[in-house]
Amino acid sequence: MDRRSVWAAVSAAGLVAGLLVAGTTSATAADPLVSQGKAVTASSVEGAGLEAAKAVDGSTTTRWASLEGRDQEWIRVDLGTSHTVSRVRLSWEAAYGRAYRVQTSSDDSAWTDVFSTSTGDGGVDDLTVSGSGRYVRVLGTARGTEWGYSLWELEVYGVAGGTPPTTTTPPSNGLGYAFGSRKTPYASGVLRPSGSTSTLDAQVVDYYQRWKSAFVRQNCGNGWSQIISPDADHPYVAEAQGYGMVVVATMAGADPDARRIFDGLVKWKIDHPSSINPDLLAAEQDVNCRSVNGGDGATDGDMDVAYGLLLADRQWGSTGTYNYKQLAVRHINAIKASEVNPQTNLLKLGDWSSAGDQYYYLSRSSDWMVDHFRAFRKATGDGAWDTIRTAHQNLITTLQQNHAPSTGLLPDFVENTNSSPRPPAGQVLESANDGKYYWNACRVPWRIGADAVTSGDSSSLTAARKLNTWVKAKTGGNPNNIAIGYQLNGTQISGGSAAAFFAPFAVVAATDPGSQAWLDALWNKMLQTPVDGGSYFSASIQLQVMITVTGNHWVP
């Protein structure tokens, strides 16, 4: 008999019914081993001879081992097709998991726990579970030793077939992704700032509380919440509301007031529809909370509003005051209908631009949120979002190769997107720096990097690392040398320092295994930078960067 068998039972206290089943049955005992020899990957490998495949080779003398000293690691087996999974058997080497989860997934993206423990003691864990999916993952969250994690064998038993759940039901505490839970691991090799996860999380929460005090408002009554934008053209802009929705939904668990604030932001979105497509958000409101300047939509704000609604659906479910999922899908479909150019599959500036106007083939690089496109594809099942995502990734590659081969920098805007996309020579919308890396494109390293760290996509990783290589060399590894704006060849536009410019580079630094010291320097620069109550823009960007580089960003 195994040294230890763990049987998980569903309690009456509110765990998701049906995830875990106590005891064994004759049917369960008869289910065949389905993982041996299957494709398997891991978040890291300690060294040669300890590859992930060693854990599914049927031999108890070979093993997989993760890198030492890191708590957040995983190993995942691809069963090839969807299976009903009844049993998972883990044969630990001396380096075992004290806290870990066993999870299933149909798409290698959304994961459902079928077992979890925080009291593991090594040996053999023979787990009876009830779940379904093509992928099975063991996610370590706390090591039992000073080493990493190591498994002689990972065995999955089950039968082909079975339909995985199509929705995620929040657990009994009401949260699907409590801040700090890191339920979705990053791509292999992604760095975090040095320090314990508890310290890093506390630093993020501290900055969030100061950001919240500076910018979250409940003005004009009506149950509204807003993010005030003192450095924008109007007191309230869609971009700020989008930032707020993403931030507040992500920080749930660290802020007991998060859902109330978020629902106030949702009400604001509903009560301020775009005058062109009412499923989108009007871009600007005055001090009396009335939409102004035409009341049309802006793509940057709408992208984050839709994404924030998807986060909320996964965080709290959609059975409360607002059906977040339904609102998100409507918003996503409206973006596709009114803010994507159907000829180029590239984002327009807003729903106000239409065929024949001078801005129809103009796009803003900071709007190209690749992880958002992935979330939209998953939420809607619409394959057009794959086409849209690829079009933007291809354009990033083309611009880096043709216009910034030594830096990887992108311009604020790109014109002629229907023929030969290029940076504008002068002003096309905002300033003479529209064709340079300036107050819009400063967000690009964060946006590209967010997809790179979460998806591991080779295109995003290549683009991110190109930016990181350049800026680290340009500044001599000193974040204080990151200027406000550059020409695409790397020539500095102006001096000074702003979080909107230095913080985003931390995300691309995290994609380079050789940039730990550089990442730590950027992190320390952020910690030393107080929240600027006069700039929602810089403060909101830095906060979201801090969330991302600490491993707390996730794609719904």
Side-chain angles (χ1 to χ4, degrees):
M1 183 175 179
D2 295 326
R3 187 176 71 80
R4 186 166 78 93
S5 295
V6 180
W7 309 110
V10 178
S11 73
L15 286 177
V16 180
L19 283 182
L20 306 175
V21 178
T24 59
T25 65
S26 58
T28 297
D31 284 348
L33 175 66
V34 294
S35 55
Q36 190 166 311
K38 295 295 177 65
V40 62
T41 56
S43 55
S44 69
V45 174
E46 182 184 347
L50 300 172
E51 296 82 6
K54 304 294 186 182
V56 295
D57 61 1
S59 171
T60 57
T61 63
T62 60
R63 62 188 176 93
W64 161 71
S66 70
L67 287 172
E68 295 182 358
R70 303 199 324 196
D71 281 326
Q72 196 84 3
E73 299 284 355
W74 53 266
I75 183 170
R76 183 216 67 192
V77 60
D78 180 357
L79 303 178
T81 60
S82 181
H83 282 64
T84 297
V85 178
S86 57
R87 178 186 175 201
V88 175
R89 189 173 186 270
L90 306 176
S91 300
W92 295 101
E93 193 253 355
Y96 67 93
R98 177 172 57 82
Y100 68 88
R101 301 185 183 108
V102 179
Q103 302 173 310
T104 60
S105 174
S106 62
D107 58 3
D108 198 22
S109 177
W111 294 91
T112 299
D113 290 354
V114 296
F115 174 80
S116 66
T117 183
S118 59
T119 58
D121 59 3
V124 174
D125 292 341
D126 201 340
L127 313 171
T128 296
V129 302
S130 178
S132 59
R134 172 175 169 173
Y135 304 91
V136 177
R137 181 173 73 179
V138 179
L139 170 62
T141 56
R143 294 164 290 132
T145 69
E146 69 270 30
W147 306 305
Y149 302 92
S150 184
L151 285 167
W152 294 109
E153 283 293 295
L154 161 58
E155 299 170 273
V156 179
Y157 296 81
V159 293
T163 303
T166 56
T167 60
T168 300
T169 303
S172 57
N173 67 0
L175 295 176
Y177 277 80
F179 176 78
S181 60
R182 295 177 177 83
K183 292 176 66 173
T184 304
Y186 282 2
S188 178
V190 172
L191 303 175
R192 289 184 195 160
S194 297
S196 68
T197 54
S198 60
T199 297
L200 296 175
D201 287 352
Q203 290 166 334
V204 177
V205 172
D206 175 68
Y207 194 89
Y208 165 74
Q209 293 293 352
R210 288 183 281 138
W211 171 89
K212 176 182 170 183
S213 177
F215 303 109
V216 176
R217 298 287 186 271
Q218 284 83 39
N219 291 338
C220 304
N222 292 321
W224 292 332
S225 298
Q226 318 94 349
I227 309 302
I228 198 164
S229 51
D231 48 331
D233 291 339
H234 295 84
Y236 312 105
V237 294
E239 177 186 74
Q241 312 320 311
Y243 286 163
M245 292 177 79
V246 171
V247 165
V248 172
T250 302
M251 296 302 296
D255 181 1
D257 204 28
R259 189 168 188 180
R260 184 188 68 81
I261 296 170
F262 189 90
D263 281 355
L265 290 165
V266 174
K267 191 172 192 303
W268 177 272
K269 167 242 180 323
I270 293 171
D271 292 347
H272 295 85
S274 166
S275 59
I276 295 176
N277 187 325
D279 285 330
L280 299 174
L281 170 62
E284 298 161 329
Q285 289 77 38
D286 64 16
V287 69
N288 296 311
C289 302
R290 296 175 299 196
S291 294
V292 293
N293 202 25
D296 42 40
T299 300
D300 51 3
D302 284 321
M303 289 284 291
D304 274 334
V305 167
Y307 193 81
L309 287 164
L310 291 178
L311 293 174
D313 171 62
R314 295 293 298 278
Q315 192 73 278
W316 296 297
S318 286
T319 58
T321 303
Y322 297 107
N323 187 325
Y324 305 127
K325 181 65 174 293
Q326 183 182 67
L327 288 169
V329 170
R330 287 174 57 182
H331 211 102
I332 292 165
N333 290 338
I335 293 171
K336 179 187 170 186
S338 299
E339 294 180 335
V340 174
N341 188 311
Q343 294 179 246
T344 64
N345 289 305
L346 299 172
L347 290 172
K348 301 186 299 177
L349 302 179
D351 61 358
W352 49 268
S353 178
S354 58
D357 72 38
Q358 61 180 316
Y359 304 110
Y360 193 57
Y361 296 111
L362 185 68
S363 191
R364 177 167 37 206
S365 61
S366 54
D367 296 352
W368 305 345
M369 308 171 199
V370 178
D371 58 345
H372 290 36
F373 296 144
R374 295 187 196 277
F376 296 173
R377 168 66 167 89
K378 181 179 175 183
T380 63
D382 186 351
W385 288 107
D386 289 332
T387 302
I388 293 165
R389 172 178 56 81
T390 301
H392 287 87
Q393 289 185 287
N394 289 343
L395 182 53
I396 291 169
T397 299
T398 298
L399 289 167
Q400 286 190 325
Q401 290 176 346
N402 295 344
H403 298 281
S406 62
T407 67
L409 295 171
L410 300 190
D412 276 9
F413 297 95
V414 180
E415 63 181 4
N416 289 359
T417 57
N418 62 323
S419 54
S420 300
R422 67 190 183 199
Q427 181 174 353
V428 292
L429 188 70
E430 294 184 359
S431 77
N433 292 317
D434 283 350
K436 300 173 184 176
Y437 181 85
Y438 207 48
W439 282 100
N440 286 291
C442 62
R443 295 168 285 185
V444 164
W446 157 44
R447 294 302 194 184
I448 292 176
D451 184 66
V453 300
T454 53
S455 74
D457 180 271
S458 60
S459 177
S460 292
L461 281 169
T462 298
R465 288 168 176 166
K466 188 174 185 68
L467 285 161
N468 181 62
T469 298
W470 168 76
V471 73
K472 186 165 63 167
K474 175 73 174 180
T475 61
N478 184 350
N480 294 321
N481 294 334
I482 296 175
I484 296 179
Y486 294 92
Q487 297 180 30
L488 300 191
N489 65 4
T491 301
Q492 180 176 316
I493 294 176
S494 61
S497 179
F501 281 87
F502 64 74
F505 283 115
V507 188
V508 293
T511 69
D512 176 19
S515 289
Q516 185 67 61
W518 171 233
L519 174 59
D520 288 345
L522 287 159
W523 179 253
N524 290 330
K525 171 75 171 175
M526 286 188 280
L527 294 181
Q528 295 161 9
T529 302
V531 170
D532 179 359
S535 178
Y536 86 92
F537 187 76
S538 277
S540 299
I541 291 169
Q542 174 166 319
L543 174 55
Q544 290 174 91
V545 166
M546 294 175 74
I547 288 169
T548 299
V549 298
T550 55
N552 285 301
H553 179 61
W554 48 277
V555 181

